[in-house]
Amino acid sequence: LLSALEEILSLTHLVYLVGGGLGGLVVGIIPGLGGIAGLSLLLAFLFGMVPSVGLGMLMGLVAVIPCAM
């Protein structure tokens, strides 16, 4: 449990989480784009990433889209 917490709170994961949040704000501000469109746009960038980093980026994107609308 502590090793998973250490991995989640690493600098790399937090940077990608914040990047996903900023991307979600951009997607939420643009008219006509929503959560599903944002996820499909981000999916192209996730191939080749470490799965935990990609999941953090997706969570950051999905978390802020309702706030931006």
Side-chain angles (χ1 to χ4, degrees):
L1 183 65
L2 291 177
S3 66
L5 184 64
E6 180 183 347
E7 182 178 351
I8 290 170
L9 295 177
S10 69
L11 183 62
T12 306
H13 285 82
L14 290 177
V15 166
Y16 279 105
L17 181 68
V18 169
L22 291 175
L25 284 174
V26 170
V27 167
I29 289 171
I30 297 173
L33 291 180
I36 295 175
L39 289 176
S40 63
L41 289 172
L42 187 63
L43 193 62
F45 296 105
L46 296 180
F47 287 109
M49 273 189 179
V50 178
S52 61
V53 172
L55 185 62
M57 200 166 188
L58 287 173
M59 288 188 324
L61 182 124
V62 170
V64 298
I65 285 180
C67 299
M69 294 182 121

